[in-house]
Amino acid sequence: QVQLVESGGGLVQAGGSLRLSCSASGSAIVSIKTMTWHRQAPGKRREMVAQIMGGSRTDYGDFVKGRFTISKDSAKNTVYLQMNSLKPEDTGVYFCSFDMTVQTDWGTNTRPWWGEGTQVTVSS
């Protein structure tokens, strides 16, 4: 059984900080390539927040503008998102996804795996 679990969401005032974590667990995990944070605000489409790739190369949504930092601990199959200078418009559900290879009864399977999300609310 493989699963991704996010944590670290909550309620914070504008200008504050939060650190999100997302960990993958399961004995069937073979490898993880790209780790991505997404978010979805009420009534809006899901958007990419930050991404970290196999060589630790990173990419960010334009709206981040130096406020967020993505990092990972490969030994723990965990990705982090440090969010500073939060704004009310950062409110939403934050999801992680991993491009992950897992072992199945029929061989290996590589696809995106998703967590269930963690709520981030920024009050003005």
Side-chain angles (χ1 to χ4, degrees):
Q1 194 79 1
V2 175
Q3 63 176 352
L4 268 62
V5 178
E6 299 104 335
S7 62
L11 173 64
V12 65
Q13 288 188 331
S17 299
L18 284 174
R19 188 189 192 214
L20 306 183
S21 300
C22 174
S23 296
S25 62
S27 59
I29 296 172
V30 175
S31 63
I32 300 171
K33 189 173 183 180
T34 301
M35 299 171 167
T36 306
W37 283 102
H38 314 257
R39 72 183 187 185
Q40 187 165 20
K44 295 188 176 181
R45 297 178 64 179
R46 189 172 296 186
E47 59 186 349
M48 191 276 285
V49 177
Q51 189 173 70
I52 186 164
M53 287 150 272
S56 294
R57 184 168 64 93
T58 59
D59 192 19
Y60 294 92
D62 291 341
F63 55 86
V64 170
K65 295 181 180 178
R67 300 183 297 127
F68 299 175
T69 302
I70 189 170
S71 61
K72 67 178 179 179
D73 184 337
S74 297
K76 295 181 179 179
N77 292 337
T78 298
V79 67
Y80 306 97
L81 184 67
Q82 178 66 44
M83 304 188 293
N84 300 326
S85 302
L86 283 161
K87 305 174 182 180
E89 51 263 43
D90 293 318
T91 295
V93 179
Y94 283 67
F95 301 87
C96 63
S97 71
F98 289 4
D99 290 336
M100 192 156 56
T101 299
V102 302
Q103 187 69 47
T104 72
D105 291 341
W106 305 275
T108 57
N109 179 29
T110 302
R111 66 170 177 84
W113 291 74
W114 288 80
E116 294 190 352
T118 184
Q119 176 70 42
V120 171
T121 303
V122 184
S123 63
S124 57

